[in-house]
Structure formats: structure tokens, C-alpha cells
């Protein structure tokens, strides 16, 4: 589905909408420490006395002010009152009430607005008693920038801009890459950045392999390029048949004119189009279909949701998602929570096909329509081609759950064996892996990645920039000390009770000295319940011959081919990948840094003007005052500031006089 940025839908999370909401806090702390049902009910009743019967959203908070649960209500007083009838609540909600020490209430204009706001707050706070969509990455789109005379096709994530048309969402970056690759073959649109295009003096390799029409050097005029853009937009809108007919007619005309080279190019484009049509065909075979197909499956307490993205009759990929805290929640309620949170980040299509009806489907449809700014229909098809699509999604959901269960079983077994090998009291629930990266001590950066039995927790990754003076260049144990000091000192300040985000095991990339440094930090901070293991590369840095160092001075190895060894290598390699990626980015920024960055009053635009005029920063440094004044955008006062910055104070006055 294509969408150009315009007016934002009337959403309760929008900054301009704050005057429509009345947030009242009643989070008085009545007790601290252990769960207490009576204290929880008392806190709820105290807030209940202040509530009316208007729609809104409520947040249950514990003694520390952390959000336990977010709920929405058609009538706040009626809904919140149900939590005082403890005997009628399921055990999960009884545990929540026992931890509750207050509520924060937000009133809204309608229940649909309350539903939208609830989804936003769940995404923000990730409460432990809500069904939470665990997905740290936004969905990718294809962006066509119409602001440029030769529009560029590119992958896009994040905020949108006016004048750019977006197609998506796609299920993954791989799906976007495959589609972009096909579009390059079909329509020869450029993929390079504007700055790269402006610097070209001859066509790049993509022109040679017939993936670009080379507008950068005038191999195609603006009118012909606009025709290619129109064809690409028609194809992405599902009108591939019309594009195919135009290509056939153009190929016939080229053949009739004996322009066999052009005819061959058009023939190759037709072949690519036929290939893409086959790869993206769906069983519905309906070029008008813009829909998401969503199905739920559950097995052994694990709930999975499969989403297929169908746009203009094309399959733009599918993804399996596994909401957290969903094991003992009705599948219909899980689906409703999923829809609210999922479409808080993704624009809903006109049609959402479901394998079952969620609670309050009309309310959900109203909220999603408000989110999209147009009508959104929720439908549970009973027969025909749409039912076949839903059945396909359901089968895929069941298969995804089965695969995740198999992976979880294997992972749990490996974590149990890890505890046995390293002498841990129980299998770790959270492992933090630390590594650092630098070149001869420069651009030093440390990294932490997090692994659980469910897999890598990428939202918890963290990098530690090492500033000048933090550590001695090249001192790896010193970097370990700096990283762990910053990580655990902050953790103790923010979470002295160690209730969340607390590791059971630290895996340090290094040998005895790194392990000793880590152990010293934990002892200094009074932490005695976190194990430390160092993983050192084998002789000649051979993978498969790693040595593991323990805090008691012992070391051990695992046999080559051992599954646990592969797990530990994978953890170490992920930390290394994350660290070296950050280091390369930091080094790249340092390479393009300039002495002009340190001059007061010289920002990116004036820096560019100076470099365009003089060529290099060295030439700017050696320029006279009069030469600096000749640069467009550089005033006399700023020229004097620049000159003084690069010259000794004792000579500034004389040179300024000489210069003018």
C-alpha cells in the first residue's frame, strides 16, 4: 500500500492532543516489599472513590512506581471496581492486585481513543501483566522520493517525510531487498544517494549490468525517467499487467525499427517481470486485494501469531511474532491486544483477515479506522478464497510455534548443561556477554549483548564509548572494569532490589586478567550473586579450541563439535559483531572529522562552504583573513574568529592589521 505523508490521524498519543486528556495520579504508597492483597485492594478502593463513569485508561503501579498493568475501560469506575472482587479474578490478576500500590488514570473522549492510548502505553512500559508484543524492530518500507527530478528507490525505516511515497510494510529487510532487486531490473531506477549521484562523471557498474538508466550522467532525460517512475508506481500498485503490455509494445516497436539492442533490454525486463509475478503471486489472485492475514496458534503455553502482508495482489512477505505474557490469556484477548499494539506502529490496510473474532471487534475496527484516517474492516471469512488465505496463515502459525518449541527445548537443555559445566546453582535466565573493540587503543568502544533461553534480547544491547582518560589505550582489562562499573553502578541506583534485568552470568571475551578485572568490580560493588566466565581464543586464535576461565582460577575446555561450545561461540561472536560494528561507525565518523568542527560558529553548512572554496581544512588554516571573507556565507566577524582559532594569540593582532 502506498501512502504519502499528510495530516496525522486524530490519535490520543499525538502531542497536540494533550488538552483532550485528564491524567490523575493516585499512586499513594501504602506498603512496600512483599505482595499484599489487602494493601492492593485498599489502594484500588482509594482511587475508585475519585473515578467517574467516563472512558479512559488506567495504569496499575507497584510500590516503586513501576507499571504492572495497563487497561482501558468504557466506564472507568465500573471497570476498576472489578479488581476489588478478588475472589472472581484469575490467579494472574490476583498476583497483580497483590503487588498494586496505586493507579494512574487518564480519561479520554471515547472508548476507541482509550484503546489506542492503551496500546501506546503498553508499547512504552511493557508491563509484566499485559500481553506484550515483543518486536524491537520497525517494519521496513520501500520509499520513492518524488522531491527529486530523478526519484530514487530505497529501503526505509522510521519517520516519514512529505513528498515521499512509501510502499509496505514488508515482512523483513530481505523481502525489501528482493523487491528492490527486481525493481532495479525492471525499471532501471537509481538507488544511489543524491550526493553520490551529483559527484558522478561516468556511469557506475549498475548501468553496465543493466540495473540503472544512469540519469547521473545524462544517459536518460527527465521525461523518459518519469515514464520509468510511472511504470514502477503502477507495478507497486498492482497494475503489473498494464506494465507488461507496455513493455511488449515497446519491444515490438524496437524490433520493427531494427533497434535490436533496445529490444533485447526490453526482453530482459519482460523476463524479470514474469519472474517477479510468479514469485509474488498469491492464491487469492486478486490485484485489488490490500489486506493483512492474521492467525493465532498455541501449543504448550506458547502463543504465536502469523501475519501475511498482501498489497495490490502481491505477497510482500510474512512474519511470525510471539507475544509475551500470553500463556494463560484467552487467544481472542491475545489477538485483540496484538492488533492494538501492532497497528500502533504500522498503518492498517483497508482489510484485516482474521482466523477468529476478537472481543469487541467493532470497537477495534473503529480504533483502527481512526488510526488510519479511513475505514478499516475486520473480517473472519467463512469460505472461498479469503478463507483459504486465513487457513494458510493458521498452518504457518502452527508450524512457527512448533519450531519455536523445538528451539526452546534445545536451548533450555543447553542452558541446563551450561549451569552444570560452570557450576551454577541453576540454569541462567539472562546471560550478558561483554567485548570491546579498538585499533591500537583508538576509537575504543565496549559492547554488551544479552541472551536468554528464548534467544538474543536485542532491545537490551548496549554500547560503552570510552572517552579520553577513561582507560589507558589498549588496556583491555581496564575497559572491562570501565564497562562493568558503569553498567552495575547504574543498575544498583535504578533497581536496588535487583528485580529486573539482572544477569545470572557474565561471559567476558578474554582470559584470566579480564575475569579478574570483572570479579574485582563486582566485589567492589558488593555483588556476589553473578557468576563470571572468561572465554579466551585457542592457540593461533583457532575457533573450536577456546579456553574458559573461572573466577576460582580453574580453566577448562570443551571437545570440538560440542553443542554447548557452539552456543558459547555464538554468544561470543554476537558480542564481537555488535562491538566491531559500533567501533567501525565511530572510526568512520572520526575519519571524516575535521579541525573545522572545533571552530566556534562553524556548523555543517559553513564547514561545507569553506571546504568547497578552499578544498581542504589545511588550506582553510593557511588562508588569510581577506581570503576567508570571500567565502560565501562567511561574515567578517566569523572570518576573524576562524583566523584566530588557527593562529597563536600573540600573532593575531599583527596579522589582522596586515590583512586589512
Amino acid at each position: 500500500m502506498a501512502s504519502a505523508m499528510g495530516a496525522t490521524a486524530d490519535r490520543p498519543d499525538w502531542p497536540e492532543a494533550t488538552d483532550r486528556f485528564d491524567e490523575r495520579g493516585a499512586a499513594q504508597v501504602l506498603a512496600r516489599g512483599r505482595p499484599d492483597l489487602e494493601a492492593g485492594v485498599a489502594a484500588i478502593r482509594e482511587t475508585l472513590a475519585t473515578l467517574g463513569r467516563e472512558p479512559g485508561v488506567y495504569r496499575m503501579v507497584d510500590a516503586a512506581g513501576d507499571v504492572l498493568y495497563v487497561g482501558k475501560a468504557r466506564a472507568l469506575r465500573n471497570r476498576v471496581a472489578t479488581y476489588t472482587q478478588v475472589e472472581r479474578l484469575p490467579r494472574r490478576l490476583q498476583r497483580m492486585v497483590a503487588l498494586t500500590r496505586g493507579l494512574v488514570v487518564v480519561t479520554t473522549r471515547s472508548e476507541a481513543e482509550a484503546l489506542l492510548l492503551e496500546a501506546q502505553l503498553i508499547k512504552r512500559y511493557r508491563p509484566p501483566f499485559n500481553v506484550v508484543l515483543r518486536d524491537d524492530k520497525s517494519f521496513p518500507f520501500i520509499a520513492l522520493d518524488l522531491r527529486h527530478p530523478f526519484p530514487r528507490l530505497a529501503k526505509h525505516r522510521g519517520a516519514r517525510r512529505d513528498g515521499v511515497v512509501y510502499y509496505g510494510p514488508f515482512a523483513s529487510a530481505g523481502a525489501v531487498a528482493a523487491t528492490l532487486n527486481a525493481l532495479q531490473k525492471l525499471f532501471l531506477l537509481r538507488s544511489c544517494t543524491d550526493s553520490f549521484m551529483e559527484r558522478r562523471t561516468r556511469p557506475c557498474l549498475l548501468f553496465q549490468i543493466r540495473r540503472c538508466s544512469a540519469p547521473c550522467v545524462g544517459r536518460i532525460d527527465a521525461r523518459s525517467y518519469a515514464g520509468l517512475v510511472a511504470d514502477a508506481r503502477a507495478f507497486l500498485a498492482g497494475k503489473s499487467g498494464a506494465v507488461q503490455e507496455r513493455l511488449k509494445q515497446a519491444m515490438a516497436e524496437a524490433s520493427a525499427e531494427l533497434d535490436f539492442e533496445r529490444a533485447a533490454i526490453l526482453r530482459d525486463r519482460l523476463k524479470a517481470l514474469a519472474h517477479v509475478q510468479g514469485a509474488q503471486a498469491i492464491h487469492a489472485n486478486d490485484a485489488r486485494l490490500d489486506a493483512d492475514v492474521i492467525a493465532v496458534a498455541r501449543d504448550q503455553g506458547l502463543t504465536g501469531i502469523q501475519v501475511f502482508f498482501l498489497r495490490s495482489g502481491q505477497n510482500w512477505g510474512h512474519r511470525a511474532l510471539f507475544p509475551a505474557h500470553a500463556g494463560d490469556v484467552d487467544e481472542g484477548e491475545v489477538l485483540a491486544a496484538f492488533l492494538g499494539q501492532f497497528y500502533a506502529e504500522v498503518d492498517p490496510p483497508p482489510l484485516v483477515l482474521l482466523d477468529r473474532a476478537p472481543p469487541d471487534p467493532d470497537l477495534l475496527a473503529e480504533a483502527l479506522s481512526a488510526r488510519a484516517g479511513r475505514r478499516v474492516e475486520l473480517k473472519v471469512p467463512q469460505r472461498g478464497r479469503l478463507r483459504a488465505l486465513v487457513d494458510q496463515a493458521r498452518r504457518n502459525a502452527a508450524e512457527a510455534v512448533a519450531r519455536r518449541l523445538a528451539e526452546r527445548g534445545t536451548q533450555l537443555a543447553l542452558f541446563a548443561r551450561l549451569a552444570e559445566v560452570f557450576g551454577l546453582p541453576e540454569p541462567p535466565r539472562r546471560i550478558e556477554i561483554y567485548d570491546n573493540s579498538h585499533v591500537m587503543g583508538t576509537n575504543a568502544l565496549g559492547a554488551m549483548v544479552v541472551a536468554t533461553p528464548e534467544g538474543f534480547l536485542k532491545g537490551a544491547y548496549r554500547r560503552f564509548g570510552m572517552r579520553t582518560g577513561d582507560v589507558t589505550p589498549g588496556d583491555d582489562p581496564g575497559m572491562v572494569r570501565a564497562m562493568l562499573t558503569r553498567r552495575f553502578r547504574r543498575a544498583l541506583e535504578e533497581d536496588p532490589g535487583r528485580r529486573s534485568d539482572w544477569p545470572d552470568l557474565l561471559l567476558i571475551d578474554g582470559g584470566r586478567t579480564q575475569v579478574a578485572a570483572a570479579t574485582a568490580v563486582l566485589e567492589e560493588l558488593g555483588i556476589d550473586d553473578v557468576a563470571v566466565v572468561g572465554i579466551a581464543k585457542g592457540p593461533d586464535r583457532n575457533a573450536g579450541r577456546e579456553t574458559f576461565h573461572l573466577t576460582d582460577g580453574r580453566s577448562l575446555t570443551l571437545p570440538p563439535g560440542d553443542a554447548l561450545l557452539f552456543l558459547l561461540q555464538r554468544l561470543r561472536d554476537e558480542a564481537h559483531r555488535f562491538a566491531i560494528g559500533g567501533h567501525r561507525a565511530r572510526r568512520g565518523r572520526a575519519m571524516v572529522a575535521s579541525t573545522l568542527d572545533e571552530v566556534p560558529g562553524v556548523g555543517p553548512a559553513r564547514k561545507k562552504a569553506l571546504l568547497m572554496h578552499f578544498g581542504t581544512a589545511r588550506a582553510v588554516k593557511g588562508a588569510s583573513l581577506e581570503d576567508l571573507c570571500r567565502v560565501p556565507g562567511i561574515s567578517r566577524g566569523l572570518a576573524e574568529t576562524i583566523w584566530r582559532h588557527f593562529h597563536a594569540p600573540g600573532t593575531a593582532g599583527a596579522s589582522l592589521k596586515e590583512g586589512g
Side-chain angles (χ1 to χ4, degrees), residues 503-646:
D504 305 294
L505 172 65
L506 306 183
L507 188 64
I508 310 294
D509 185 16
R512 287 191 177 91
T513 55
Q514 283 84 352
V515 170
T519 304
V521 171
L522 297 181
E523 290 178 353
E524 179 183 340
L525 297 175
I527 300 171
D528 57 6
D529 57 350
V530 177
V532 179
V533 173
I535 175 171
K537 299 177 178 66
D540 300 322
R541 306 177 72 84
N542 287 339
R545 301 178 64 185
E546 286 84 357
T547 302
F548 299 93
H549 299 276
L550 309 183
T551 54
D552 59 6
R554 292 183 298 125
S555 61
L556 57 90
T557 58
L558 294 170
D562 190 302
L564 178 59
L565 176 60
F566 290 150
L567 169 67
L568 294 167
Q569 288 173 338
R570 191 164 75 250
L571 300 182
R572 187 266 320 276
D573 292 345
E574 173 68 2
H576 184 65
R577 178 200 66 80
F578 188 60
I580 201 169
H583 166 72
R584 285 173 175 166
R586 196 171 190 182
R587 188 177 63 194
R589 289 192 296 269
M591 290 175 67
V592 299
S594 167
T595 54
L596 297 177
D597 296 328
E598 303 172 2
V599 181
V602 175
R606 286 167 173 164
K607 173 184 171 183
K608 182 178 180 180
L610 288 165
L611 291 175
M612 291 292 290
H613 187 86
F614 290 105
T616 65
R618 183 185 295 273
V620 176
K621 183 177 179 179
S624 69
L625 178 62
E626 291 303 321
D627 288 338
L628 290 170
C629 290
R630 294 189 184 99
V631 178
I634 303 297
S635 66
R636 177 83 182 187
L638 181 57
E640 292 178 359
T641 300
I642 296 170
W643 194 94
R644 288 193 181 97
H645 178 81
F646 288 119

Side-chain angles (χ1 to χ4, degrees), residues 2-153:
S3 62
M5 279 301 293
T8 304
D10 189 18
R11 294 166 51 183
D13 60 312
W14 198 247
E16 288 79 358
T18 54
D19 59 333
R20 301 203 315 261
F21 301 95
D22 175 23
E23 179 166 320
R24 301 193 297 274
Q28 180 181 359
V29 176
L30 302 181
R32 288 187 177 271
R34 297 181 179 179
D36 187 331
L37 258 178
E38 292 183 2
V41 171
I44 294 171
R45 281 181 175 155
E46 181 172 339
T47 303
L48 191 60
T50 68
L51 296 181
R53 289 182 169 81
E54 64 269 34
V57 175
Y58 56 92
R59 303 200 295 270
M60 303 283 195
V61 297
D62 63 10
D66 295 329
V67 178
L68 298 170
Y69 181 80
V70 176
K72 58 91 180 165
R74 180 183 294 110
L76 282 166
R77 182 179 179 83
N78 298 349
R79 182 71 183 94
V80 173
T82 61
Y83 294 104
T84 63
Q85 303 169 11
V86 179
E87 66 282 353
R88 297 184 181 181
L89 298 176
R91 296 195 62 177
R92 178 175 66 93
L93 295 185
Q94 288 182 11
R95 294 196 303 272
M96 180 194 72
V97 171
L99 292 169
T100 298
R101 297 296 179 268
L103 280 80
V104 178
V105 177
V106 183
T107 59
T108 62
R109 295 185 305 185
S110 67
E111 190 181 4
E113 284 189 348
L115 190 149
L116 290 172
L117 182 58
E118 176 196 38
Q120 289 290 331
L121 293 176
I122 291 172
K123 293 281 285 186
R124 181 190 304 173
Y125 294 112
R126 306 182 72 83
F129 290 94
N130 280 100
V131 175
V132 177
L133 175 58
R134 294 183 300 187
D135 188 59
D136 297 322
K137 294 179 66 177
S138 61
F139 286 84
F141 288 75
I142 286 178
L144 182 62
D145 190 347
L146 300 180
R147 298 170 299 178
H148 197 280
F150 296 99
R152 171 198 180 205
L153 270 176

Side-chain angles (χ1 to χ4, degrees), residues 206-224:
L206 288 178
F207 174 78
Q208 307 297 334
I209 62 175
R210 296 179 180 177
R211 297 287 182 89
C212 181
S213 52
C216 54
V217 291
R219 296 299 178 94
I220 186 172
D221 58 39
R223 182 177 180 181
S224 299

Side-chain angles (χ1 to χ4, degrees), residues 173-206:
V176 171
T179 303
L180 284 175
N181 184 49
L183 291 173
Q184 280 186 327
K185 293 179 181 178
L186 285 171
F187 305 112
L188 311 180
L189 300 184
R190 71 181 182 96
S191 58
C192 58
T193 63
D194 293 348
S195 60
F196 182 86
M197 176 183 175
E198 292 169 0
R199 294 196 304 266
R200 297 300 301 179
T201 58
R202 58 181 181 177
C204 66
L205 179 62
L206 288 178

